[in-house]
Amino acid sequence: MARIVVADDDVDVRTLVVLKLESSGHEVVSVENGAQAVERCRADRPDLVVLDLMMPGMNGLEACAAIRSDPSVAATPVILLTARAQAADVDAGLAAGADAYVTKPFSPRELASQVDALLQRAAG
């Protein structure tokens, strides 16, 4: 079981992600924006973070960069989950330090598979 922080300003998407990850046996904390995600990462030291790209205040790219710049959580795997699917958006996400980029609409099974793959890679 992994501890995962999920940040998305869309309550329906957030609920779907939380339900899927909890049904896979993970402990999930959900927040509404990037600033809260960074705060929870620093406080909880999760095993993985799922960030929406477009959120009010601190967006997913900024949150990812903040996580990467903090030595206490810099190694935490990050998945960007977003409706932005242009090549430039993917490049920007990966350049900000994301380990994976999943586009909406998304398959909950695909997301769970990405989560499992990143957790296995981080473990070892």
Side-chain angles (χ1 to χ4, degrees), residues 67-96:
I67 290 166
R68 292 292 176 245
S69 69
D70 184 333
S72 70
V73 292
T76 306
V78 174
I79 296 175
L80 290 178
L81 179 64
T82 179
R84 303 203 49 160
Q86 298 295 320
D89 297 317
V90 176
D91 291 344
L94 297 175

mmCIF file with all atom_site columns, all heavy atoms in Angstrom, residues 67-96:
data_model
loop_
_atom_site.group_PDB
_atom_site.id
_atom_site.type_symbol
_atom_site.label_atom_id
_atom_site.label_alt_id
_atom_site.label_comp_id
_atom_site.label_asym_id
_atom_site.label_entity_id
_atom_site.label_seq_id
_atom_site.pdbx_PDB_ins_code
_atom_site.Cartn_x
_atom_site.Cartn_y
_atom_site.Cartn_z
_atom_site.occupancy
_atom_site.B_iso_or_equiv
_atom_site.pdbx_formal_charge
_atom_site.auth_seq_id
_atom_site.auth_comp_id
_atom_site.auth_asym_id
_atom_site.auth_atom_id
_atom_site.pdbx_PDB_model_num
ATOM 1   N N   . ILE A 1 67 ? 7.983  20.598 -5.937  1.00 0.00 ? 67 ILE A N   1
ATOM 2   C CA  . ILE A 1 67 ? 8.302  19.288 -5.353  1.00 0.00 ? 67 ILE A CA  1
ATOM 3   C C   . ILE A 1 67 ? 9.734  18.904 -5.720  1.00 0.00 ? 67 ILE A C   1
ATOM 4   O O   . ILE A 1 67 ? 10.512 18.464 -4.869  1.00 0.00 ? 67 ILE A O   1
ATOM 5   C CB  . ILE A 1 67 ? 7.281  18.229 -5.817  1.00 0.00 ? 67 ILE A CB  1
ATOM 6   C CG1 . ILE A 1 67 ? 5.921  18.507 -5.166  1.00 0.00 ? 67 ILE A CG1 1
ATOM 7   C CG2 . ILE A 1 67 ? 7.769  16.815 -5.502  1.00 0.00 ? 67 ILE A CG2 1
ATOM 8   C CD1 . ILE A 1 67 ? 4.759  17.753 -5.798  1.00 0.00 ? 67 ILE A CD1 1
ATOM 9   N N   . ARG A 1 68 ? 10.093 19.076 -6.974  1.00 0.00 ? 68 ARG A N   1
ATOM 10  C CA  . ARG A 1 68 ? 11.438 18.717 -7.431  1.00 0.00 ? 68 ARG A CA  1
ATOM 11  C C   . ARG A 1 68 ? 12.528 19.573 -6.775  1.00 0.00 ? 68 ARG A C   1
ATOM 12  O O   . ARG A 1 68 ? 13.653 19.119 -6.623  1.00 0.00 ? 68 ARG A O   1
ATOM 13  C CB  . ARG A 1 68 ? 11.548 18.832 -8.950  1.00 0.00 ? 68 ARG A CB  1
ATOM 14  C CG  . ARG A 1 68 ? 10.728 17.793 -9.678  1.00 0.00 ? 68 ARG A CG  1
ATOM 15  C CD  . ARG A 1 68 ? 11.313 16.402 -9.462  1.00 0.00 ? 68 ARG A CD  1
ATOM 16  N NE  . ARG A 1 68 ? 10.478 15.391 -10.081 1.00 0.00 ? 68 ARG A NE  1
ATOM 17  C CZ  . ARG A 1 68 ? 9.821  14.457 -9.423  1.00 0.00 ? 68 ARG A CZ  1
ATOM 18  N NH1 . ARG A 1 68 ? 9.890  14.391 -8.113  1.00 0.00 ? 68 ARG A NH1 1
ATOM 19  N NH2 . ARG A 1 68 ? 9.106  13.564 -10.045 1.00 0.00 ? 68 ARG A NH2 1
ATOM 20  N N   . SER A 1 69 ? 12.189 20.796 -6.395  1.00 0.00 ? 69 SER A N   1
ATOM 21  C CA  . SER A 1 69 ? 13.204 21.683 -5.804  1.00 0.00 ? 69 SER A CA  1
ATOM 22  C C   . SER A 1 69 ? 13.352 21.505 -4.293  1.00 0.00 ? 69 SER A C   1
ATOM 23  O O   . SER A 1 69 ? 14.250 22.090 -3.698  1.00 0.00 ? 69 SER A O   1
ATOM 24  C CB  . SER A 1 69 ? 12.874 23.144 -6.125  1.00 0.00 ? 69 SER A CB  1
ATOM 25  O OG  . SER A 1 69 ? 11.712 23.553 -5.429  1.00 0.00 ? 69 SER A OG  1
ATOM 26  N N   . ASP A 1 70 ? 12.506 20.703 -3.676  1.00 0.00 ? 70 ASP A N   1
ATOM 27  C CA  . ASP A 1 70 ? 12.568 20.467 -2.232  1.00 0.00 ? 70 ASP A CA  1
ATOM 28  C C   . ASP A 1 70 ? 13.262 19.123 -1.988  1.00 0.00 ? 70 ASP A C   1
ATOM 29  O O   . ASP A 1 70 ? 12.692 18.075 -2.285  1.00 0.00 ? 70 ASP A O   1
ATOM 30  C CB  . ASP A 1 70 ? 11.156 20.446 -1.644  1.00 0.00 ? 70 ASP A CB  1
ATOM 31  C CG  . ASP A 1 70 ? 11.146 20.293 -0.135  1.00 0.00 ? 70 ASP A CG  1
ATOM 32  O OD1 . ASP A 1 70 ? 12.096 19.703 0.432   1.00 0.00 ? 70 ASP A OD1 1
ATOM 33  O OD2 . ASP A 1 70 ? 10.171 20.746 0.486   1.00 0.00 ? 70 ASP A OD2 1
ATOM 34  N N   . PRO A 1 71 ? 14.487 19.139 -1.432  1.00 0.00 ? 71 PRO A N   1
ATOM 35  C CA  . PRO A 1 71 ? 15.236 17.887 -1.262  1.00 0.00 ? 71 PRO A CA  1
ATOM 36  C C   . PRO A 1 71 ? 14.496 16.825 -0.451  1.00 0.00 ? 71 PRO A C   1
ATOM 37  O O   . PRO A 1 71 ? 14.711 15.627 -0.664  1.00 0.00 ? 71 PRO A O   1
ATOM 38  C CB  . PRO A 1 71 ? 16.505 18.320 -0.534  1.00 0.00 ? 71 PRO A CB  1
ATOM 39  C CG  . PRO A 1 71 ? 16.628 19.781 -0.781  1.00 0.00 ? 71 PRO A CG  1
ATOM 40  C CD  . PRO A 1 71 ? 15.231 20.297 -0.968  1.00 0.00 ? 71 PRO A CD  1
ATOM 41  N N   . SER A 1 72 ? 13.596 17.221 0.426   1.00 0.00 ? 72 SER A N   1
ATOM 42  C CA  . SER A 1 72 ? 12.903 16.240 1.269   1.00 0.00 ? 72 SER A CA  1
ATOM 43  C C   . SER A 1 72 ? 11.873 15.414 0.496   1.00 0.00 ? 72 SER A C   1
ATOM 44  O O   . SER A 1 72 ? 11.505 14.330 0.932   1.00 0.00 ? 72 SER A O   1
ATOM 45  C CB  . SER A 1 72 ? 12.241 16.930 2.466   1.00 0.00 ? 72 SER A CB  1
ATOM 46  O OG  . SER A 1 72 ? 11.147 17.720 2.055   1.00 0.00 ? 72 SER A OG  1
ATOM 47  N N   . VAL A 1 73 ? 11.419 15.914 -0.640  1.00 0.00 ? 73 VAL A N   1
ATOM 48  C CA  . VAL A 1 73 ? 10.411 15.194 -1.432  1.00 0.00 ? 73 VAL A CA  1
ATOM 49  C C   . VAL A 1 73 ? 10.756 15.120 -2.920  1.00 0.00 ? 73 VAL A C   1
ATOM 50  O O   . VAL A 1 73 ? 9.955  14.646 -3.716  1.00 0.00 ? 73 VAL A O   1
ATOM 51  C CB  . VAL A 1 73 ? 9.004  15.826 -1.253  1.00 0.00 ? 73 VAL A CB  1
ATOM 52  C CG1 . VAL A 1 73 ? 8.491  15.622 0.156   1.00 0.00 ? 73 VAL A CG1 1
ATOM 53  C CG2 . VAL A 1 73 ? 9.001  17.293 -1.634  1.00 0.00 ? 73 VAL A CG2 1
ATOM 54  N N   . ALA A 1 74 ? 11.938 15.563 -3.290  1.00 0.00 ? 74 ALA A N   1
ATOM 55  C CA  . ALA A 1 74 ? 12.316 15.668 -4.705  1.00 0.00 ? 74 ALA A CA  1
ATOM 56  C C   . ALA A 1 74 ? 12.250 14.346 -5.455  1.00 0.00 ? 74 ALA A C   1
ATOM 57  O O   . ALA A 1 74 ? 11.980 14.325 -6.658  1.00 0.00 ? 74 ALA A O   1
ATOM 58  C CB  . ALA A 1 74 ? 13.712 16.266 -4.828  1.00 0.00 ? 74 ALA A CB  1
ATOM 59  N N   . ALA A 1 75 ? 12.469 13.235 -4.780  1.00 0.00 ? 75 ALA A N   1
ATOM 60  C CA  . ALA A 1 75 ? 12.481 11.935 -5.454  1.00 0.00 ? 75 ALA A CA  1
ATOM 61  C C   . ALA A 1 75 ? 11.090 11.318 -5.597  1.00 0.00 ? 75 ALA A C   1
ATOM 62  O O   . ALA A 1 75 ? 10.940 10.254 -6.196  1.00 0.00 ? 75 ALA A O   1
ATOM 63  C CB  . ALA A 1 75 ? 13.390 10.973 -4.697  1.00 0.00 ? 75 ALA A CB  1
ATOM 64  N N   . THR A 1 76 ? 10.062 11.982 -5.089  1.00 0.00 ? 76 THR A N   1
ATOM 65  C CA  . THR A 1 76 ? 8.696  11.461 -5.160  1.00 0.00 ? 76 THR A CA  1
ATOM 66  C C   . THR A 1 76 ? 8.221  11.414 -6.616  1.00 0.00 ? 76 THR A C   1
ATOM 67  O O   . THR A 1 76 ? 8.263  12.428 -7.304  1.00 0.00 ? 76 THR A O   1
ATOM 68  C CB  . THR A 1 76 ? 7.735  12.360 -4.345  1.00 0.00 ? 76 THR A CB  1
ATOM 69  O OG1 . THR A 1 76 ? 8.238  12.497 -3.020  1.00 0.00 ? 76 THR A OG1 1
ATOM 70  C CG2 . THR A 1 76 ? 6.338  11.776 -4.314  1.00 0.00 ? 76 THR A CG2 1
ATOM 71  N N   . PRO A 1 77 ? 7.773  10.256 -7.088  1.00 0.00 ? 77 PRO A N   1
ATOM 72  C CA  . PRO A 1 77 ? 7.257  10.190 -8.452  1.00 0.00 ? 77 PRO A CA  1
ATOM 73  C C   . PRO A 1 77 ? 6.020  11.079 -8.625  1.00 0.00 ? 77 PRO A C   1
ATOM 74  O O   . PRO A 1 77 ? 5.178  11.155 -7.731  1.00 0.00 ? 77 PRO A O   1
ATOM 75  C CB  . PRO A 1 77 ? 6.879  8.713  -8.628  1.00 0.00 ? 77 PRO A CB  1
ATOM 76  C CG  . PRO A 1 77 ? 7.673  7.984  -7.602  1.00 0.00 ? 77 PRO A CG  1
ATOM 77  C CD  . PRO A 1 77 ? 7.794  8.938  -6.443  1.00 0.00 ? 77 PRO A CD  1
ATOM 78  N N   . VAL A 1 78 ? 5.942  11.741 -9.783  1.00 0.00 ? 78 VAL A N   1
ATOM 79  C CA  . VAL A 1 78 ? 4.838  12.657 -10.084 1.00 0.00 ? 78 VAL A CA  1
ATOM 80  C C   . VAL A 1 78 ? 4.198  12.265 -11.408 1.00 0.00 ? 78 VAL A C   1
ATOM 81  O O   . VAL A 1 78 ? 4.890  12.081 -12.411 1.00 0.00 ? 78 VAL A O   1
ATOM 82  C CB  . VAL A 1 78 ? 5.332  14.120 -10.169 1.00 0.00 ? 78 VAL A CB  1
ATOM 83  C CG1 . VAL A 1 78 ? 4.202  15.046 -10.615 1.00 0.00 ? 78 VAL A CG1 1
ATOM 84  C CG2 . VAL A 1 78 ? 5.916  14.573 -8.844  1.00 0.00 ? 78 VAL A CG2 1
ATOM 85  N N   . ILE A 1 79 ? 2.866  12.154 -11.387 1.00 0.00 ? 79 ILE A N   1
ATOM 86  C CA  . ILE A 1 79 ? 2.085  11.938 -12.604 1.00 0.00 ? 79 ILE A CA  1
ATOM 87  C C   . ILE A 1 79 ? 1.269  13.193 -12.850 1.00 0.00 ? 79 ILE A C   1
ATOM 88  O O   . ILE A 1 79 ? 0.562  13.661 -11.953 1.00 0.00 ? 79 ILE A O   1
ATOM 89  C CB  . ILE A 1 79 ? 1.130  10.739 -12.464 1.00 0.00 ? 79 ILE A CB  1
ATOM 90  C CG1 . ILE A 1 79 ? 1.904  9.441  -12.282 1.00 0.00 ? 79 ILE A CG1 1
ATOM 91  C CG2 . ILE A 1 79 ? 0.198  10.647 -13.687 1.00 0.00 ? 79 ILE A CG2 1
ATOM 92  C CD1 . ILE A 1 79 ? 1.023  8.224  -12.019 1.00 0.00 ? 79 ILE A CD1 1
ATOM 93  N N   . LEU A 1 80 ? 1.375  13.754 -14.051 1.00 0.00 ? 80 LEU A N   1
ATOM 94  C CA  . LEU A 1 80 ? 0.500  14.851 -14.442 1.00 0.00 ? 80 LEU A CA  1
ATOM 95  C C   . LEU A 1 80 ? -0.704 14.238 -15.147 1.00 0.00 ? 80 LEU A C   1
ATOM 96  O O   . LEU A 1 80 ? -0.554 13.427 -16.062 1.00 0.00 ? 80 LEU A O   1
ATOM 97  C CB  . LEU A 1 80 ? 1.217  15.830 -15.370 1.00 0.00 ? 80 LEU A CB  1
ATOM 98  C CG  . LEU A 1 80 ? 2.310  16.679 -14.731 1.00 0.00 ? 80 LEU A CG  1
ATOM 99  C CD1 . LEU A 1 80 ? 2.973  17.573 -15.781 1.00 0.00 ? 80 LEU A CD1 1
ATOM 100 C CD2 . LEU A 1 80 ? 1.759  17.519 -13.591 1.00 0.00 ? 80 LEU A CD2 1
ATOM 101 N N   . LEU A 1 81 ? -1.892 14.617 -14.703 1.00 0.00 ? 81 LEU A N   1
ATOM 102 C CA  . LEU A 1 81 ? -3.160 14.123 -15.253 1.00 0.00 ? 81 LEU A CA  1
ATOM 103 C C   . LEU A 1 81 ? -3.905 15.339 -15.780 1.00 0.00 ? 81 LEU A C   1
ATOM 104 O O   . LEU A 1 81 ? -4.344 16.175 -14.998 1.00 0.00 ? 81 LEU A O   1
ATOM 105 C CB  . LEU A 1 81 ? -3.965 13.423 -14.152 1.00 0.00 ? 81 LEU A CB  1
ATOM 106 C CG  . LEU A 1 81 ? -5.325 12.873 -14.530 1.00 0.00 ? 81 LEU A CG  1
ATOM 107 C CD1 . LEU A 1 81 ? -5.182 11.755 -15.560 1.00 0.00 ? 81 LEU A CD1 1
ATOM 108 C CD2 . LEU A 1 81 ? -6.047 12.357 -13.293 1.00 0.00 ? 81 LEU A CD2 1
ATOM 109 N N   . THR A 1 82 ? -4.030 15.454 -17.110 1.00 0.00 ? 82 THR A N   1
ATOM 110 C CA  . THR A 1 82 ? -4.511 16.703 -17.667 1.00 0.00 ? 82 THR A CA  1
ATOM 111 C C   . THR A 1 82 ? -5.225 16.540 -19.008 1.00 0.00 ? 82 THR A C   1
ATOM 112 O O   . THR A 1 82 ? -5.005 15.558 -19.715 1.00 0.00 ? 82 THR A O   1
ATOM 113 C CB  . THR A 1 82 ? -3.322 17.678 -17.847 1.00 0.00 ? 82 THR A CB  1
ATOM 114 O OG1 . THR A 1 82 ? -3.778 18.897 -18.410 1.00 0.00 ? 82 THR A OG1 1
ATOM 115 C CG2 . THR A 1 82 ? -2.248 17.079 -18.727 1.00 0.00 ? 82 THR A CG2 1
ATOM 116 N N   . ALA A 1 83 ? -6.042 17.522 -19.322 1.00 0.00 ? 83 ALA A N   1
ATOM 117 C CA  . ALA A 1 83 ? -6.715 17.562 -20.619 1.00 0.00 ? 83 ALA A CA  1
ATOM 118 C C   . ALA A 1 83 ? -5.799 18.120 -21.704 1.00 0.00 ? 83 ALA A C   1
ATOM 119 O O   . ALA A 1 83 ? -6.105 18.013 -22.889 1.00 0.00 ? 83 ALA A O   1
ATOM 120 C CB  . ALA A 1 83 ? -7.982 18.414 -20.525 1.00 0.00 ? 83 ALA A CB  1
ATOM 121 N N   . ARG A 1 84 ? -4.692 18.708 -21.316 1.00 0.00 ? 84 ARG A N   1
ATOM 122 C CA  . ARG A 1 84 ? -3.767 19.313 -22.288 1.00 0.00 ? 84 ARG A CA  1
ATOM 123 C C   . ARG A 1 84 ? -2.906 18.224 -22.906 1.00 0.00 ? 84 ARG A C   1
ATOM 124 O O   . ARG A 1 84 ? -2.056 17.657 -22.234 1.00 0.00 ? 84 ARG A O   1
ATOM 125 C CB  . ARG A 1 84 ? -2.925 20.368 -21.617 1.00 0.00 ? 84 ARG A CB  1
ATOM 126 C CG  . ARG A 1 84 ? -3.840 21.417 -20.968 1.00 0.00 ? 84 ARG A CG  1
ATOM 127 C CD  . ARG A 1 84 ? -3.260 22.715 -20.737 1.00 0.00 ? 84 ARG A CD  1
ATOM 128 N NE  . ARG A 1 84 ? -2.594 23.232 -21.912 1.00 0.00 ? 84 ARG A NE  1
ATOM 129 C CZ  . ARG A 1 84 ? -2.335 24.507 -22.068 1.00 0.00 ? 84 ARG A CZ  1
ATOM 130 N NH1 . ARG A 1 84 ? -2.687 25.370 -21.150 1.00 0.00 ? 84 ARG A NH1 1
ATOM 131 N NH2 . ARG A 1 84 ? -1.686 24.927 -23.125 1.00 0.00 ? 84 ARG A NH2 1
ATOM 132 N N   . ALA A 1 85 ? -3.141 17.965 -24.201 1.00 0.00 ? 85 ALA A N   1
ATOM 133 C CA  . ALA A 1 85 ? -2.495 16.823 -24.853 1.00 0.00 ? 85 ALA A CA  1
ATOM 134 C C   . ALA A 1 85 ? -1.547 17.203 -25.986 1.00 0.00 ? 85 ALA A C   1
ATOM 135 O O   . ALA A 1 85 ? -1.032 16.334 -26.670 1.00 0.00 ? 85 ALA A O   1
ATOM 136 C CB  . ALA A 1 85 ? -3.565 15.886 -25.389 1.00 0.00 ? 85 ALA A CB  1
ATOM 137 N N   . GLN A 1 86 ? -1.307 18.495 -26.183 1.00 0.00 ? 86 GLN A N   1
ATOM 138 C CA  . GLN A 1 86 ? -0.391 18.910 -27.238 1.00 0.00 ? 86 GLN A CA  1
ATOM 139 C C   . GLN A 1 86 ? 1.038  18.499 -26.888 1.00 0.00 ? 86 GLN A C   1
ATOM 140 O O   . GLN A 1 86 ? 1.406  18.428 -25.712 1.00 0.00 ? 86 GLN A O   1
ATOM 141 C CB  . GLN A 1 86 ? -0.455 20.433 -27.422 1.00 0.00 ? 86 GLN A CB  1
ATOM 142 C CG  . GLN A 1 86 ? -1.813 20.954 -27.844 1.00 0.00 ? 86 GLN A CG  1
ATOM 143 C CD  . GLN A 1 86 ? -2.210 20.470 -29.227 1.00 0.00 ? 86 GLN A CD  1
ATOM 144 O OE1 . GLN A 1 86 ? -1.390 20.413 -30.138 1.00 0.00 ? 86 GLN A OE1 1
ATOM 145 N NE2 . GLN A 1 86 ? -3.470 20.096 -29.379 1.00 0.00 ? 86 GLN A NE2 1
ATOM 146 N N   . ALA A 1 87 ? 1.839  18.259 -27.897 1.00 0.00 ? 87 ALA A N   1
ATOM 147 C CA  . ALA A 1 87 ? 3.228  17.842 -27.671 1.00 0.00 ? 87 ALA A CA  1
ATOM 148 C C   . ALA A 1 87 ? 3.979  18.848 -26.804 1.00 0.00 ? 87 ALA A C   1
ATOM 149 O O   . ALA A 1 87 ? 4.764  18.457 -25.932 1.00 0.00 ? 87 ALA A O   1
ATOM 150 C CB  . ALA A 1 87 ? 3.939  17.653 -29.012 1.00 0.00 ? 87 ALA A CB  1
ATOM 151 N N   . ALA A 1 88 ? 3.725  20.129 -27.017 1.00 0.00 ? 88 ALA A N   1
ATOM 152 C CA  . ALA A 1 88 ? 4.400  21.159 -26.214 1.00 0.00 ? 88 ALA A CA  1
ATOM 153 C C   . ALA A 1 88 ? 4.013  21.063 -24.741 1.00 0.00 ? 88 ALA A C   1
ATOM 154 O O   . ALA A 1 88 ? 4.844  21.303 -23.859 1.00 0.00 ? 88 ALA A O   1
ATOM 155 C CB  . ALA A 1 88 ? 4.069  22.553 -26.756 1.00 0.00 ? 88 ALA A CB  1
ATOM 156 N N   . ASP A 1 89 ? 2.757  20.697 -24.471 1.00 0.00 ? 89 ASP A N   1
ATOM 157 C CA  . ASP A 1 89 ? 2.306  20.539 -23.087 1.00 0.00 ? 89 ASP A CA  1
ATOM 158 C C   . ASP A 1 89 ? 2.992  19.343 -22.427 1.00 0.00 ? 89 ASP A C   1
ATOM 159 O O   . ASP A 1 89 ? 3.435  19.418 -21.278 1.00 0.00 ? 89 ASP A O   1
ATOM 160 C CB  . ASP A 1 89 ? 0.783  20.354 -23.022 1.00 0.00 ? 89 ASP A CB  1
ATOM 161 C CG  . ASP A 1 89 ? 0.030  21.560 -23.547 1.00 0.00 ? 89 ASP A CG  1
ATOM 162 O OD1 . ASP A 1 89 ? 0.430  22.691 -23.220 1.00 0.00 ? 89 ASP A OD1 1
ATOM 163 O OD2 . ASP A 1 89 ? -0.956 21.365 -24.274 1.00 0.00 ? 89 ASP A OD2 1
ATOM 164 N N   . VAL A 1 90 ? 3.072  18.238 -23.161 1.00 0.00 ? 90 VAL A N   1
ATOM 165 C CA  . VAL A 1 90 ? 3.746  17.049 -22.642 1.00 0.00 ? 90 VAL A CA  1
ATOM 166 C C   . VAL A 1 90 ? 5.210  17.371 -22.371 1.00 0.00 ? 90 VAL A C   1
ATOM 167 O O   . VAL A 1 90 ? 5.745  17.041 -21.303 1.00 0.00 ? 90 VAL A O   1
ATOM 168 C CB  . VAL A 1 90 ? 3.617  15.862 -23.628 1.00 0.00 ? 90 VAL A CB  1
ATOM 169 C CG1 . VAL A 1 90 ? 4.414  14.664 -23.129 1.00 0.00 ? 90 VAL A CG1 1
ATOM 170 C CG2 . VAL A 1 90 ? 2.155  15.492 -23.832 1.00 0.00 ? 90 VAL A CG2 1
ATOM 171 N N   . ASP A 1 91 ? 5.858  18.043 -23.319 1.00 0.00 ? 91 ASP A N   1
ATOM 172 C CA  . ASP A 1 91 ? 7.268  18.419 -23.141 1.00 0.00 ? 91 ASP A CA  1
ATOM 173 C C   . ASP A 1 91 ? 7.458  19.309 -21.919 1.00 0.00 ? 91 ASP A C   1
ATOM 174 O O   . ASP A 1 91 ? 8.394  19.119 -21.148 1.00 0.00 ? 91 ASP A O   1
ATOM 175 C CB  . ASP A 1 91 ? 7.794  19.141 -24.386 1.00 0.00 ? 91 ASP A CB  1
ATOM 176 C CG  . ASP A 1 91 ? 7.926  18.211 -25.590 1.00 0.00 ? 91 ASP A CG  1
ATOM 177 O OD1 . ASP A 1 91 ? 7.910  16.978 -25.401 1.00 0.00 ? 91 ASP A OD1 1
ATOM 178 O OD2 . ASP A 1 91 ? 8.044  18.735 -26.718 1.00 0.00 ? 91 ASP A OD2 1
ATOM 179 N N   . ALA A 1 92 ? 6.557  20.275 -21.739 1.00 0.00 ? 92 ALA A N   1
ATOM 180 C CA  . ALA A 1 92 ? 6.654  21.172 -20.581 1.00 0.00 ? 92 ALA A CA  1
ATOM 181 C C   . ALA A 1 92 ? 6.475  20.399 -19.276 1.00 0.00 ? 92 ALA A C   1
ATOM 182 O O   . ALA A 1 92 ? 7.172  20.655 -18.289 1.00 0.00 ? 92 ALA A O   1
ATOM 183 C CB  . ALA A 1 92 ? 5.611  22.293 -20.682 1.00 0.00 ? 92 ALA A CB  1
ATOM 184 N N   . GLY A 1 93 ? 5.547  19.448 -19.265 1.00 0.00 ? 93 GLY A N   1
ATOM 185 C CA  . GLY A 1 93 ? 5.322  18.645 -18.070 1.00 0.00 ? 93 GLY A CA  1
ATOM 186 C C   . GLY A 1 93 ? 6.523  17.799 -17.709 1.00 0.00 ? 93 GLY A C   1
ATOM 187 O O   . GLY A 1 93 ? 6.935  17.739 -16.543 1.00 0.00 ? 93 GLY A O   1
ATOM 188 N N   . LEU A 1 94 ? 7.104  17.167 -18.708 1.00 0.00 ? 94 LEU A N   1
ATOM 189 C CA  . LEU A 1 94 ? 8.277  16.337 -18.453 1.00 0.00 ? 94 LEU A CA  1
ATOM 190 C C   . LEU A 1 94 ? 9.479  17.202 -18.075 1.00 0.00 ? 94 LEU A C   1
ATOM 191 O O   . LEU A 1 94 ? 10.269 16.821 -17.205 1.00 0.00 ? 94 LEU A O   1
ATOM 192 C CB  . LEU A 1 94 ? 8.579  15.456 -19.665 1.00 0.00 ? 94 LEU A CB  1
ATOM 193 C CG  . LEU A 1 94 ? 7.470  14.446 -20.002 1.00 0.00 ? 94 LEU A CG  1
ATOM 194 C CD1 . LEU A 1 94 ? 7.796  13.692 -21.284 1.00 0.00 ? 94 LEU A CD1 1
ATOM 195 C CD2 . LEU A 1 94 ? 7.212  13.483 -18.850 1.00 0.00 ? 94 LEU A CD2 1
ATOM 196 N N   . ALA A 1 95 ? 9.586  18.384 -18.685 1.00 0.00 ? 95 ALA A N   1
ATOM 197 C CA  . ALA A 1 95 ? 10.679 19.291 -18.339 1.00 0.00 ? 95 ALA A CA  1
ATOM 198 C C   . ALA A 1 95 ? 10.554 19.807 -16.906 1.00 0.00 ? 95 ALA A C   1
ATOM 199 O O   . ALA A 1 95 ? 11.565 20.088 -16.248 1.00 0.00 ? 95 ALA A O   1
ATOM 200 C CB  . ALA A 1 95 ? 10.715 20.470 -19.321 1.00 0.00 ? 95 ALA A CB  1
ATOM 201 N N   . ALA A 1 96 ? 9.319  19.915 -16.409 1.00 0.00 ? 96 ALA A N   1
ATOM 202 C CA  . ALA A 1 96 ? 9.102  20.366 -15.027 1.00 0.00 ? 96 ALA A CA  1
ATOM 203 C C   . ALA A 1 96 ? 9.433  19.268 -14.021 1.00 0.00 ? 96 ALA A C   1
ATOM 204 O O   . ALA A 1 96 ? 9.466  19.514 -12.822 1.00 0.00 ? 96 ALA A O   1
ATOM 205 C CB  . ALA A 1 96 ? 7.662  20.839 -14.840 1.00 0.00 ? 96 ALA A CB  1
#
